[in-house]
Amino acid sequence: MLGTRWQPWLEMQSEMTRLRDEMDRVFGRWSHRRAPFLGQAAFPLLNVWEDDNHYFVEAELPGMEMEDLEIFVNGSQLTIKGERKEPAGEPGTWHRRERLYGKFTRIFELPHVVDADQVSAELKQGVLTVSLPKQPESRPRKIEVRAN
Amino acid sequence: MSEISKVKNPSDVATVERTEQVLTFTPRFDIWENDDELILYGDLPGVSAENLEIRFEEKQLSIHGRVDARQGGVQYLYAEYGVGDFFRTFAIGEAMDASKIAAELKNGVLTVHLPKSEAVKPKRIEVRQA
């Protein structure tokens, strides 16, 4: 009977999680910095924008170096992988632990295929910006309108 | 009209004001203590040393990191976080040696060392063999 038991509490929990994720998605822009990491579905959070020739993906990764990160592009899929290491433990007491540590992987689906060979990334003051050039077919084309 | 009269003398304006609406966020911090000092580690992504102001007065440590808009007026395809200033204040209970407070900023992480003043440092009592 494995897996067929009705577990209303678990169902309710997952419903609550879904609802909270939905709320975070809608209001995350304003509230996420107050939300504890445990409730956060994805890390790092991303902002994505475009110009005519590129998509740009930005993430806040304070304390990380480029060599702590792996960035892959496969078709239209961007993967950001890394590990944020804890400061070495010395004798003492932690009064507050709000910052996030550990391994993470974030996969993001871009609207279109990009030119994987030309992708570049920059990490500055803990902010990662990935520039992904669009393939020629996904760039906007100007349509010439001729007057007869 | 009242707005105009308020700022008619430009020298009244003490600080550089920014015209756009700025969001302020509470940065995440870790606080660690040993016998000699308190160390604060804070995540301040996008803040440069010249845009960071740290003050310690009346047992309050305040940290204000200014973050200028990184993409001017861009329309996000997908937005999961807001970009804005970071501000946080900590009440520091124990007596600190204010003159020795030191801070460094590296890759968007702030480290503040707050050395304890000699008076509050735990003292090891030597026990003599009688």
Side-chain angles (χ1 to χ4, degrees):
Chain A
M1 289 300 280
L2 195 72
T4 58
R5 219 161 0 139
W6 185 52
Q7 292 173 301
W9 169 241
L10 285 181
E11 260 183 43
M12 200 167 84
Q13 259 190 325
S14 73
E15 192 60 17
M16 287 299 287
T17 307
R18 192 198 58 74
L19 184 72
R20 192 188 51 210
D21 288 350
E22 190 68 13
M23 298 273 282
D24 282 352
R25 194 182 62 75
V26 175
F27 299 109
R29 200 183 146 86
W30 314 104
S31 68
H32 83 273
R33 283 179 210 274
R34 279 162 219 271
F37 182 52
L38 290 171
Q40 193 172 299
F43 182 86
L45 295 176
L46 305 174
N47 281 344
V48 182
W49 69 102
E50 66 178 338
D51 66 13
D52 286 351
N53 301 319
H54 301 83
Y55 291 110
F56 299 97
V57 176
E58 187 195 78
E60 293 181 331
L61 294 166
M64 296 201 62
E65 311 265 4
M66 219 42 171
E67 54 264 30
D68 303 326
L69 282 173
E70 285 179 81
I71 298 166
F72 313 99
V73 177
N74 187 357
S76 60
Q77 192 172 283
L78 168 72
T79 304
I80 301 171
K81 246 177 110 165
E83 182 174 5
R84 195 160 104 135
K85 295 183 186 82
E86 275 184 85
E90 289 170 60
T93 315
W94 287 107
H95 291 294
R96 227 174 261 255
R97 308 229 65 185
E98 299 169 352
R99 298 161 72 230
L100 329 169
Y101 302 103
K103 290 185 175 150
F104 59 84
T105 303
R106 179 84 200 260
I107 298 168
F108 185 79
E109 195 68 37
L110 294 154
H112 289 286
V113 172
V114 294
D115 185 352
D117 295 333
Q118 301 296 316
V119 171
S120 63
E122 187 196 27
L123 188 58
K124 202 179 156 199
Q125 289 155 0
V127 179
L128 174 74
T129 311
V130 187
S131 307
L132 306 119
K134 292 179 183 176
Q135 293 283 20
E137 58 269 25
S138 46
R139 290 178 191 167
R141 248 154 304 179
K142 190 175 171 171
I143 312 297
E144 290 295 331
V145 181
R146 280 180 303 177
N148 283 325
Chain B
M1 284 305 279
S2 61
E3 281 301 307
I4 292 166
S5 59
K6 239 187 259 171
V7 291
K8 73 179 171 208
N9 182 359
S11 64
D12 288 347
V13 182
T15 53
V16 177
E17 293 190 24
R18 282 184 286 175
T19 50
E20 80 274 29
Q21 188 74 40
V22 178
L23 299 172
T24 301
F25 296 100
T26 306
R28 291 174 194 272
F29 267 84
D30 289 347
I31 302 176
W32 183 79
E33 181 182 1
N34 69 7
D35 289 350
D36 301 319
E37 61 178 351
L38 271 177
I39 304 180
L40 278 66
Y41 300 95
D43 285 344
L44 300 169
V47 176
S48 60
E50 56 268 30
N51 286 341
L52 180 61
E53 191 180 280
I54 304 174
R55 302 174 75 94
F56 182 67
E57 52 195 353
E58 287 166 10
K59 295 190 176 181
Q60 293 251 320
L61 182 79
S62 70
I63 294 153
H64 184 200
R66 228 184 82 165
V67 179
D68 290 317
R70 291 194 282 266
Q71 300 88 40
V74 82
Q75 180 78 49
Y76 287 116
L77 296 174
Y78 198 76
E80 293 181 335
Y81 62 89
V83 175
D85 287 5
F86 291 104
F87 181 74
R88 193 151 177 187
T89 308
F90 295 98
I92 308 291
E94 283 187 86
M96 295 296 152
D97 191 342
S99 63
K100 289 189 186 145
I101 295 175
E104 61 179 295
L105 185 64
K106 194 187 170 203
N107 297 332
V109 175
L110 170 70
T111 307
V112 187
H113 294 267
L114 295 138
K116 294 182 189 175
S117 61
E118 287 300 324
V120 298
K121 277 188 192 174
K123 298 223 168 41
R124 193 189 151 91
I125 313 297
E126 290 295 331
V127 180
R128 280 180 306 171
Q129 188 71 49

